[in-house]
Amino acid sequence: MRAHRGLVLAGGLAATAIALSGCTASPGDDDTLTVYVGRAESLVGPLIEQFEEETGIQVEARYAATPELTALVLEEGDRTPAEVFLSQDAGALGALSDADLVTEIPADLADQIPAGFTSTDGSWVGVTGRARVLAYDSEQLTEDQVPSTVDDLTADEWGGQVAFAPGNASFQSFITALRVLEGEEAAAEWVAGMADNEPELTENNLASLDLVNTGQAQIGLINHYYWYRQAAEVGAGNMRAQLKFLPGDPGGIVNVTGAAILKGAADDADARAFVEFLISEQAQRYFVEETFEYPLLPGIDAPEGLPALESLVNPGLDLSDLHSVGESQRLLADNGLI
Amino acid sequence: MTAAATTTPRRPWGLVAASLAAVALAAIPVVHLIVRVASADPAELTAVFERPRIPLLVGNSVLLAASVTATAVALGVPSAFLLARARLRWRGMWAVLAALPLAMPSYLAAYGWLAWQPSMRGFWAAWLVLSFVSVPYVTLPVAAALRIGSTGLDDVARTLGRGPLGSFMLGTWPQIRPAVLAGALLVCLYTLSDFGGVALFRFPVLTTAIQQAYSASFSRDEAAVLAVILVSLALLVVVGEQFARGRAARRIQAAPSVGRRRMTRLGPWTVPAVGLLVLVPAVAVVVPVAVLLGRVLTAETLQAFEFAELGTALANTVLLSAGGAVVAVLLALPIGILAARHRGRLVRGIESAGYLALGLPGIVVGLSLVFFSLSVVPALYQTALVLAFGYGVLFMPKAIGSIRSATGQVPVSLEDVSRTLGNSRARTWWAVTARLARPGIFAAALLAAVSAMKELPATLMLRPTGTDTLATELWQRTDISAYGAAAPYAVALLLVAAVPAFLLSDARAGREATREAIA
């Protein structure tokens, strides 16, 4: 009898689950704006609430990691319910653009973000900047012992001491920058040198930072804001890892998060309003205060304690050149890193 | 138990048709993969195979799956013996403890261990955590088989001069061997497809490479090639298990399925026995949970915790996983019954195909169902229905074994009596077979439900926009390293997944056995 009741219960629950599906707004609904957000809800959710309050536009936000969401949109193709994609990195937006899934950002919006931090063809617009940095274990190293260029990391003394995430998009963007700035030969030499040096390979930036924080690795190649987020959780005074910025070095380039409007929403005023909001002064200040990223709208100060964005800009680098990430992956694959 | 003896010769084509339909639905991810690989640029495909890392990834996957399976069997069979056949106090509690690791997602267990021992990495770390969280897949079915089986043959062997172990191997082992194989199959496929546990310990396997291919390169073709390699490995495992089970079935034709069951006195073995029963849940659950709770206490900033949010995620988790369990059982029923009652190449093929989705990582199944639902039922895309269906496809294999063995234990003679009394085949199935096999069918649903509760990547792909489950809320927080804020969700997920695990532990059977032992 007990099992029988259980089956009935399970059936009832299933029926409720099906009923539940009727309650959710159908995708592509006209009164709501569907936004795919490749970042955590706790970071972006409050900002979206501000947008809803101010404009009266209802947002259906779908949160997942940027790679998963990008794979999702590529699979959905032109049937995607997404109208705006807010990505954690420029590479994902480039992939959507390459698949011809996005529409051009109106010039009056795109032009507000300085060249170098946004797409060259208007396929997406930069929202915030993220600097590549070296995280180092402050119990094993002083700041001057930490190299000020990634070129030095292939030296024997760093054997087994460097952590990075070879499959991570930001890391691969850095490799691409290395290729663009120092040439294919130098980049290939660097990757081979690093592979020989038995690096600690991780799944993501956070894992690399954890290795440095626990003394498992002396140096980690990460994005700057991971440190600030973790410091907010455990207290800055408890951070064993410290950051060294690398102005002018390929290892210290500034990458961006950005937004794209999907093709199906080409004429959608709500989608435009949302992108406009993301690069408004209000949203830019929100990112500075809550996510510790660089604002890209001119005239807004960077988070406290960070070197000025201008000091990190790499004049030789056009972010749209980072599209050739496929070549970088081949390089990493040939050296057995991915 | 006496599978071969209960086989009926005629093949009911209605059942075969229903099984084929279920297999067709369950095979969507595999078919999708094959179509994608077939239509990809051949140069890109060969480039994948030329990567120097591929042999390492395949080798690591095989090594991990084999060693985790062996460990789960080595720990699970003695545990099952203790639960079902030993005179032990607090039998119900031990049964619940033995099932508890089922509630633990591998990523959570790995995270807990890592937070305590940051230097854990590589093969041994992945082996430890995956082995211990998967022991119940062996313990539960084997304990159930031991409770049904008899010790009559053991006793005969003892009187003929065999030692305790020798007589066990002669008398009891053949009776539990199908259950051991079924459990080992689940463990092996689970290990092949797991991502979270191996990724945290930085042990490179095929699933981590598949995830990377989606993550950075956005090359879905490359990911598909890697997934095809993975599913080929899964196919080898499934066929291997069927081969081993087929031989076992022939050998036990004469084994009695009913008879006296003797309870073993442990004597000086009590301490190591209790040690084993404590060790598994301690490694899989107690250590990681304790460490996680420790993180909550030491976190400097606790974000505002909203009970309403937790409540919604909890309700969604329960509803969606229940829906998934129903779909899984509906898909698995015809296959399980067919496999229990019939033999032949067609039946074997259907059963194998039913198992394959379990060897695929959730992200692959998720993406294939995105494509499928958009092409076939676009109106249902991103509804709870598609997500529940996705869970059904992913976890149907976990239901097949339980349904097959439960059906196999219903004597065919009872069905024959019903048919002679003029009942139709369907009515006989409902009134006789389903009634007697009900505990097994219920167990199948519970197993699918507990797996669905923990599932993350397919949930992220398929869930309705704006719908959060405990697993997605947990991901949201760990992704930004807000471990303090993540802990309540981790605990809630464990507690809710512990309910089906508790029901699966068959505490009732434990209590009955206790009464027998005392009487």
Side-chain angles (χ1 to χ4, degrees), chain B residues 119-143:
Chain B
S119 60
M120 280 179 75
R121 60 165 297 183
F123 170 77
W124 289 107
W127 165 82
L128 178 80
V129 164
L130 286 179
S131 295
F132 280 75
V133 297
S134 38
V135 169
Y137 289 116
V138 177
T139 310
L140 296 181
V142 174

mmCIF file of all heavy atoms in Angstrom, chain B residues 119-143:
data_model
loop_
_atom_site.group_PDB
_atom_site.id
_atom_site.type_symbol
_atom_site.label_atom_id
_atom_site.label_comp_id
_atom_site.label_asym_id
_atom_site.label_seq_id
_atom_site.Cartn_x
_atom_site.Cartn_y
_atom_site.Cartn_z
ATOM 1 N N SER B 119 45.057 20.755 -0.581
ATOM 2 C CA SER B 119 46.069 20.137 -1.434
ATOM 3 C C SER B 119 45.538 18.898 -2.145
ATOM 4 O O SER B 119 46.242 18.293 -2.951
ATOM 5 C CB SER B 119 47.297 19.768 -0.603
ATOM 6 O OG SER B 119 46.927 18.861 0.408
ATOM 7 N N MET B 120 44.283 18.500 -1.863
ATOM 8 C CA MET B 120 43.742 17.321 -2.552
ATOM 9 C C MET B 120 43.594 17.624 -4.030
ATOM 10 O O MET B 120 43.037 18.649 -4.406
ATOM 11 C CB MET B 120 42.380 16.943 -1.966
ATOM 12 C CG MET B 120 42.477 16.159 -0.686
ATOM 13 S SD MET B 120 40.855 15.765 -0.027
ATOM 14 C CE MET B 120 40.340 14.459 -1.118
ATOM 15 N N ARG B 121 44.092 16.725 -4.859
ATOM 16 C CA ARG B 121 43.967 16.930 -6.296
ATOM 17 C C ARG B 121 44.208 15.619 -7.019
ATOM 18 O O ARG B 121 44.723 14.658 -6.438
ATOM 19 C CB ARG B 121 44.979 17.966 -6.792
ATOM 20 C CG ARG B 121 46.427 17.586 -6.527
ATOM 21 C CD ARG B 121 47.357 18.434 -7.332
ATOM 22 N NE ARG B 121 47.136 18.198 -8.752
ATOM 23 C CZ ARG B 121 47.833 18.747 -9.713
ATOM 24 N NH1 ARG B 121 48.776 19.610 -9.407
ATOM 25 N NH2 ARG B 121 47.607 18.464 -10.971
ATOM 26 N N GLY B 122 43.806 15.583 -8.269
ATOM 27 C CA GLY B 122 44.164 14.471 -9.142
ATOM 28 C C GLY B 122 43.380 13.195 -8.887
ATOM 29 O O GLY B 122 42.321 13.192 -8.264
ATOM 30 N N PHE B 123 43.966 12.103 -9.370
ATOM 31 C CA PHE B 123 43.258 10.822 -9.394
ATOM 32 C C PHE B 123 42.751 10.382 -8.026
ATOM 33 O O PHE B 123 41.585 10.044 -7.864
ATOM 34 C CB PHE B 123 44.169 9.738 -9.979
ATOM 35 C CG PHE B 123 43.608 8.352 -9.821
ATOM 36 C CD1 PHE B 123 42.587 7.917 -10.652
ATOM 37 C CD2 PHE B 123 44.070 7.509 -8.818
ATOM 38 C CE1 PHE B 123 42.043 6.648 -10.487
ATOM 39 C CE2 PHE B 123 43.528 6.242 -8.654
ATOM 40 C CZ PHE B 123 42.520 5.808 -9.487
ATOM 41 N N TRP B 124 43.634 10.390 -7.012
ATOM 42 C CA TRP B 124 43.234 9.801 -5.733
ATOM 43 C C TRP B 124 42.091 10.567 -5.089
ATOM 44 O O TRP B 124 41.189 9.977 -4.484
ATOM 45 C CB TRP B 124 44.434 9.702 -4.785
ATOM 46 C CG TRP B 124 45.396 8.659 -5.234
ATOM 47 C CD1 TRP B 124 46.614 8.855 -5.802
ATOM 48 C CD2 TRP B 124 45.180 7.236 -5.226
ATOM 49 N NE1 TRP B 124 47.177 7.648 -6.133
ATOM 50 C CE2 TRP B 124 46.322 6.646 -5.790
ATOM 51 C CE3 TRP B 124 44.140 6.429 -4.789
ATOM 52 C CZ2 TRP B 124 46.457 5.269 -5.932
ATOM 53 C CZ3 TRP B 124 44.269 5.049 -4.937
ATOM 54 C CH2 TRP B 124 45.420 4.483 -5.501
ATOM 55 N N ALA B 125 42.118 11.893 -5.240
ATOM 56 C CA ALA B 125 41.054 12.709 -4.660
ATOM 57 C C ALA B 125 39.726 12.407 -5.358
ATOM 58 O O ALA B 125 38.692 12.179 -4.706
ATOM 59 C CB ALA B 125 41.407 14.191 -4.794
ATOM 60 N N ALA B 126 39.754 12.383 -6.709
ATOM 61 C CA ALA B 126 38.526 12.095 -7.456
ATOM 62 C C ALA B 126 38.040 10.688 -7.143
ATOM 63 O O ALA B 126 36.839 10.451 -6.958
ATOM 64 C CB ALA B 126 38.784 12.253 -8.957
ATOM 65 N N TRP B 127 38.988 9.753 -7.064
ATOM 66 C CA TRP B 127 38.631 8.368 -6.747
ATOM 67 C C TRP B 127 37.935 8.273 -5.392
ATOM 68 O O TRP B 127 36.895 7.636 -5.242
ATOM 69 C CB TRP B 127 39.899 7.499 -6.749
ATOM 70 C CG TRP B 127 39.698 6.167 -6.099
ATOM 71 C CD1 TRP B 127 39.155 5.052 -6.664
ATOM 72 C CD2 TRP B 127 40.005 5.830 -4.743
ATOM 73 N NE1 TRP B 127 39.092 4.044 -5.745
ATOM 74 C CE2 TRP B 127 39.601 4.491 -4.561
ATOM 75 C CE3 TRP B 127 40.559 6.525 -3.662
ATOM 76 C CZ2 TRP B 127 39.750 3.823 -3.340
ATOM 77 C CZ3 TRP B 127 40.713 5.876 -2.456
ATOM 78 C CH2 TRP B 127 40.318 4.539 -2.302
ATOM 79 N N LEU B 128 38.516 8.929 -4.392
ATOM 80 C CA LEU B 128 37.967 8.843 -3.033
ATOM 81 C C LEU B 128 36.524 9.331 -3.000
ATOM 82 O O LEU B 128 35.607 8.628 -2.559
ATOM 83 C CB LEU B 128 38.817 9.687 -2.067
ATOM 84 C CG LEU B 128 38.300 9.692 -0.626
ATOM 85 C CD1 LEU B 128 38.725 8.427 0.095
ATOM 86 C CD2 LEU B 128 38.771 10.918 0.142
ATOM 87 N N VAL B 129 36.318 10.541 -3.489
ATOM 88 C CA VAL B 129 34.995 11.155 -3.350
ATOM 89 C C VAL B 129 33.951 10.430 -4.210
ATOM 90 O O VAL B 129 32.864 10.094 -3.739
ATOM 91 C CB VAL B 129 35.071 12.657 -3.678
ATOM 92 C CG1 VAL B 129 33.688 13.221 -3.929
ATOM 93 C CG2 VAL B 129 35.745 13.396 -2.529
ATOM 94 N N LEU B 130 34.303 10.139 -5.470
ATOM 95 C CA LEU B 130 33.321 9.478 -6.338
ATOM 96 C C LEU B 130 32.998 8.066 -5.836
ATOM 97 O O LEU B 130 31.856 7.628 -5.882
ATOM 98 C CB LEU B 130 33.823 9.430 -7.780
ATOM 99 C CG LEU B 130 33.782 10.772 -8.516
ATOM 100 C CD1 LEU B 130 34.331 10.634 -9.920
ATOM 101 C CD2 LEU B 130 32.370 11.319 -8.561
ATOM 102 N N SER B 131 34.017 7.355 -5.345
ATOM 103 C CA SER B 131 33.766 5.995 -4.854
ATOM 104 C C SER B 131 32.774 6.017 -3.698
ATOM 105 O O SER B 131 31.797 5.271 -3.685
ATOM 106 C CB SER B 131 35.058 5.344 -4.356
ATOM 107 O OG SER B 131 35.962 5.166 -5.409
ATOM 108 N N PHE B 132 33.033 6.882 -2.735
ATOM 109 C CA PHE B 132 32.217 6.840 -1.524
ATOM 110 C C PHE B 132 30.806 7.366 -1.759
ATOM 111 O O PHE B 132 29.865 6.880 -1.143
ATOM 112 C CB PHE B 132 32.924 7.574 -0.372
ATOM 113 C CG PHE B 132 33.978 6.719 0.277
ATOM 114 C CD1 PHE B 132 35.193 6.485 -0.353
ATOM 115 C CD2 PHE B 132 33.748 6.109 1.494
ATOM 116 C CE1 PHE B 132 36.154 5.676 0.226
ATOM 117 C CE2 PHE B 132 34.701 5.301 2.090
ATOM 118 C CZ PHE B 132 35.912 5.079 1.452
ATOM 119 N N VAL B 133 30.641 8.376 -2.648
ATOM 120 C CA VAL B 133 29.262 8.807 -2.890
ATOM 121 C C VAL B 133 28.491 7.765 -3.702
ATOM 122 O O VAL B 133 27.266 7.759 -3.678
ATOM 123 C CB VAL B 133 29.127 10.192 -3.584
ATOM 124 C CG1 VAL B 133 29.700 11.297 -2.721
ATOM 125 C CG2 VAL B 133 29.746 10.191 -4.962
ATOM 126 N N SER B 134 29.192 6.851 -4.398
ATOM 127 C CA SER B 134 28.426 5.901 -5.215
ATOM 128 C C SER B 134 28.277 4.513 -4.602
ATOM 129 O O SER B 134 27.653 3.651 -5.209
ATOM 130 C CB SER B 134 28.977 5.824 -6.642
ATOM 131 O OG SER B 134 30.354 5.894 -6.667
ATOM 132 N N VAL B 135 28.808 4.301 -3.402
ATOM 133 C CA VAL B 135 28.641 2.986 -2.764
ATOM 134 C C VAL B 135 27.165 2.556 -2.655
ATOM 135 O O VAL B 135 26.841 1.388 -2.909
ATOM 136 C CB VAL B 135 29.330 2.974 -1.372
ATOM 137 C CG1 VAL B 135 28.943 1.730 -0.590
ATOM 138 C CG2 VAL B 135 30.836 3.031 -1.539
ATOM 139 N N PRO B 136 26.224 3.469 -2.328
ATOM 140 C CA PRO B 136 24.827 3.010 -2.191
ATOM 141 C C PRO B 136 24.244 2.403 -3.465
ATOM 142 O O PRO B 136 23.318 1.591 -3.380
ATOM 143 C CB PRO B 136 24.052 4.287 -1.834
ATOM 144 C CG PRO B 136 25.061 5.230 -1.300
ATOM 145 C CD PRO B 136 26.357 4.891 -1.960
ATOM 146 N N TYR B 137 24.776 2.784 -4.637
ATOM 147 C CA TYR B 137 24.253 2.181 -5.868
ATOM 148 C C TYR B 137 24.466 0.669 -5.862
ATOM 149 O O TYR B 137 23.753 -0.068 -6.534
ATOM 150 C CB TYR B 137 24.938 2.781 -7.104
ATOM 151 C CG TYR B 137 24.533 4.197 -7.391
ATOM 152 C CD1 TYR B 137 25.454 5.231 -7.327
ATOM 153 C CD2 TYR B 137 23.216 4.503 -7.706
ATOM 154 C CE1 TYR B 137 25.085 6.545 -7.582
ATOM 155 C CE2 TYR B 137 22.831 5.805 -7.957
ATOM 156 C CZ TYR B 137 23.771 6.820 -7.895
ATOM 157 O OH TYR B 137 23.390 8.104 -8.145
ATOM 158 N N VAL B 138 25.486 0.213 -5.132
ATOM 159 C CA VAL B 138 25.723 -1.223 -5.001
ATOM 160 C C VAL B 138 25.021 -1.761 -3.748
ATOM 161 O O VAL B 138 24.322 -2.772 -3.788
ATOM 162 C CB VAL B 138 27.239 -1.532 -4.938
ATOM 163 C CG1 VAL B 138 27.478 -3.017 -4.719
ATOM 164 C CG2 VAL B 138 27.924 -1.059 -6.208
ATOM 165 N N THR B 139 25.187 -1.039 -2.626
ATOM 166 C CA THR B 139 24.644 -1.526 -1.354
ATOM 167 C C THR B 139 23.140 -1.792 -1.437
ATOM 168 O O THR B 139 22.665 -2.853 -1.007
ATOM 169 C CB THR B 139 24.903 -0.496 -0.234
ATOM 170 O OG1 THR B 139 26.279 -0.132 -0.255
ATOM 171 C CG2 THR B 139 24.547 -1.077 1.120
ATOM 172 N N LEU B 140 22.381 -0.834 -1.966
ATOM 173 C CA LEU B 140 20.922 -0.946 -1.908
ATOM 174 C C LEU B 140 20.376 -2.145 -2.683
ATOM 175 O O LEU B 140 19.635 -2.951 -2.112
ATOM 176 C CB LEU B 140 20.263 0.359 -2.371
ATOM 177 C CG LEU B 140 20.561 1.580 -1.480
ATOM 178 C CD1 LEU B 140 19.849 2.815 -2.009
ATOM 179 C CD2 LEU B 140 20.137 1.308 -0.042
ATOM 180 N N PRO B 141 20.727 -2.301 -3.981
ATOM 181 C CA PRO B 141 20.170 -3.464 -4.677
ATOM 182 C C PRO B 141 20.669 -4.796 -4.122
ATOM 183 O O PRO B 141 19.925 -5.772 -4.076
ATOM 184 C CB PRO B 141 20.624 -3.270 -6.135
ATOM 185 C CG PRO B 141 21.745 -2.314 -6.087
ATOM 186 C CD PRO B 141 21.505 -1.447 -4.896
ATOM 187 N N VAL B 142 21.934 -4.835 -3.670
ATOM 188 C CA VAL B 142 22.468 -6.097 -3.163
ATOM 189 C C VAL B 142 21.793 -6.452 -1.834
ATOM 190 O O VAL B 142 21.436 -7.612 -1.593
ATOM 191 C CB VAL B 142 24.004 -6.024 -3.016
ATOM 192 C CG1 VAL B 142 24.542 -7.281 -2.354
ATOM 193 C CG2 VAL B 142 24.651 -5.836 -4.374
ATOM 194 N N ALA B 143 21.571 -5.462 -0.967
ATOM 195 C CA ALA B 143 20.880 -5.735 0.292
ATOM 196 C C ALA B 143 19.478 -6.256 0.010
ATOM 197 O O ALA B 143 19.005 -7.195 0.664
ATOM 198 C CB ALA B 143 20.819 -4.465 1.154
#
